[in-house]
Amino acid sequence: MPSKNEGVMVILSSPSGAGKTTLVNLLSKQDKFEVSISHTTRQPRVNETQNKDYYFVDLDKFNRLIKDQEFLEYAKVYNNYYGTTRTPVIDKLNKGKNVLFDIDWQGADQIKNKKLDYKLITFFILPPSKEILFKRLSNREMKDKLIVEERMKQFGRDVLHWINYDYVVINDNLDNCYKKIYNLIDAEIKNGSKDYDLEYIRNHVEKLTS
Ligand code: 5GP
């Protein structure tokens, strides 16, 4: 990545099960990239660590952060609240770090509308097919068929937001998908040419929603 004084903001959103969190973790291993840690009112999962995966807080604390206008964005997702506090993000950007956001479309819209003085690149990650998404969700939520059905329904609604993103990338193979995202970020920063086929994506979305 080029040396520029200020970092860029990179948002990755996706419907549940498209593999976004893994991609964010891979990108965060790159020099100059740091993940923005969100606050959430959701309960931690067994494999999650406080202050690393999220700042897990109760609703009172979350409401106080809203009242004190600490959030750059916040939203309700699946009955829990999630939000990104402003100060750590701005600090990282001013130190020249590229900040990765693993946030949903509502948060992406809010950050976009803020029109901050930092470059913003937004990605929407999609699964290769509905069948593969169903398999991925079934593996993850093995105990609960109802959750899988609900997430599949939610997928149909979430996917419609693809149009508001700079780039849509299909996660058919983790390594390829990661490289595509990395190359697009690099091209954006360097003002280079971008390898991106919008028509192909439009057709893919049509297949996913038909
Ligand atoms: P999970 O509970 O599975 O970690 O995340 C559920 C959803 O909330 C994911 O789509 C994730 O991207 C989104 N999310 C996580 N943190 C934030 C945040 O700070 N703001 C917003 N708007 N969404 C978030």
Side-chain angles (χ1 to χ4, degrees):
M1 291 287 161
S3 61
K4 220 183 152 203
N5 293 342
E6 271 169 12
V8 300
M9 301 191 286
V10 179
I11 295 180
L12 270 81
S13 302
S14 76
S16 191
K20 167 194 48 170
T21 307
T22 317
L23 287 164
V24 170
N25 288 339
L26 277 177
L27 285 165
S28 73
K29 295 205 168 73
Q30 286 294 329
D31 211 25
K32 280 190 75 177
F33 278 83
E34 279 191 25
V35 181
S36 159
I37 302 172
S38 299
H39 283 69
T40 183
T41 60
R42 164 166 82 59
Q43 290 299 311
R45 298 184 182 125
V46 276
N47 57 339
E48 289 178 328
T49 312
Q50 169 74 307
N51 303 351
K52 185 173 160 278
D53 294 292
Y54 280 106
Y55 299 110
F56 294 99
V57 294
D58 60 21
L59 194 55
D60 278 352
K61 169 82 180 169
F62 199 93
N63 282 332
R64 226 175 310 133
L65 291 168
I66 296 176
K67 197 164 150 267
D68 295 343
Q69 299 188 349
E70 296 282 351
F71 285 124
L72 191 57
E73 63 77 33
Y74 70 92
K76 193 176 184 187
V77 189
Y78 304 128
N79 292 324
N80 291 299
Y81 287 92
Y82 295 82
T84 309
T85 45
R86 179 190 308 268
T87 312
V89 171
I90 302 296
D91 284 353
K92 285 186 180 97
L93 290 167
N94 288 344
K95 280 186 197 144
K97 299 283 183 196
N98 300 321
V99 182
L100 295 163
F101 300 83
D102 174 344
I103 61 177
D104 83 329
W105 63 269
Q106 304 173 82
D109 273 0
Q110 290 174 44
I111 292 186
K112 222 167 118 178
N113 291 336
K114 289 252 155 78
K115 299 197 188 328
L116 301 175
D117 267 345
Y118 301 89
K119 187 172 179 65
L120 172 66
I121 314 165
T122 61
F123 291 92
F124 198 62
I125 317 297
L126 285 178
S129 69
K130 270 198 282 198
E131 292 71 26
I132 290 178
L133 176 69
F134 184 78
K135 265 191 210 148
R136 283 183 191 164
L137 288 173
S138 303
N139 286 341
R140 196 162 81 178
E141 310 282 1
M142 256 180 307
K143 279 182 233 120
D144 206 333
K145 264 191 157 179
L146 277 178
I147 293 184
V148 178
E149 273 169 29
E150 183 45 49
R151 295 277 154 109
M152 286 304 289
K153 271 191 216 148
Q154 186 67 39
F155 171 76
R157 297 188 284 266
D158 286 347
V159 75
L160 304 175
H161 297 282
W162 74 277
I163 198 80
N164 295 326
Y165 286 76
D166 296 323
Y167 300 105
V168 177
V169 182
I170 301 164
N171 188 8
D172 41 8
N173 166 294
L174 196 62
D175 206 38
N176 288 347
C177 185
Y178 163 74
K179 278 186 195 136
K180 240 181 238 167
I181 296 172
Y182 183 84
N183 288 339
L184 284 167
I185 297 171
D186 196 39
E188 278 281 348
I189 293 174
K190 290 176 175 157
N191 271 326
S193 67
K194 287 114 198 152
D195 177 15
Y196 188 64
D197 184 346
L198 183 60
E199 258 333 282
Y200 180 77
I201 294 297
R202 203 181 285 281
N203 287 334
H204 185 72
V205 172
E206 249 168 51
K207 268 188 252 157
L208 286 174
T209 49
S210 64

